[in-house]
Amino acid sequence: LRFLEMSEKQSSKVQFHFLSQVPNLKKRTALKTFLLSTLKKKHRQVGAVNFIFCSDDYLLNINKQFLNHHYFTDIITFDLSEGTELVAEIYISVDRVKDNASSFKTSFINELHRVIFHGVLHLCGLKDKTPKESAEMRAAEQKILNRYFK
């Protein structure tokens, strides 16, 4: 019982907020615990990580306003930490995840988890600006997906 209480308390450091409906996102507490474990393995002390599931238009506005990018994207990760404790917001376009799942011929739920893990990997220091960084990011995403869905 104590482990369960600790697990629930710890998983509250990761929150999911829904501005758009997300089909099939089940076992949320287990996912939050897994995300915290992944961050801990990368030596990140978590204060709060908020995932905001939104529409293409909502994320496009954020992309324009904060990054001066005028295109759709599936995810934007903001590390808002000021000290050693991780504070972050991760915005995910549900519309883009659906389109990407279709384009990549994978399930929506697999693509959704890939994008969630992508955001966490950014918080762990991985980048994806160059071809080499992108390849490393894809490999890390796949490794986490395999670990999560084993």
Side-chain angles (χ1 to χ4, degrees), residues 32-117:
K32 291 175 184 181
T33 301
F34 181 83
L35 294 171
L36 283 169
S37 170
T38 300
L39 288 162
K40 186 176 181 180
K41 285 179 184 175
K42 299 292 186 178
H43 309 290
R44 294 302 312 253
Q45 180 184 353
V46 178
V49 177
N50 290 292
F51 288 85
I52 300 94
F53 298 94
C54 57
S55 68
D56 265 349
D57 290 335
Y58 190 91
L59 196 52
L60 178 61
N61 287 333
I62 289 172
N63 212 8
K64 288 177 181 176
Q65 182 178 358
F66 294 99
L67 302 175
N68 201 29
H69 296 161
H70 296 267
Y71 52 81
F72 291 116
T73 187
D74 53 359
I75 185 169
I76 298 176
T77 303
F78 293 105
D79 186 338
L80 307 171
S81 308
E82 292 185 2
T84 58
E85 193 171 74
L86 175 64
V87 177
E89 291 181 356
I90 299 175
Y91 292 83
I92 296 174
S93 168
V94 177
D95 300 325
R96 200 72 1 239
V97 170
K98 286 178 186 174
D99 287 351
N100 288 346
S102 178
S103 296
F104 300 146
K105 298 185 180 2
T106 189
S107 69
F108 170 80
I109 202 66
N110 188 68
E111 182 63 10
L112 178 64
H113 283 81
R114 185 192 67 76
V115 172
I116 290 169
F117 298 149

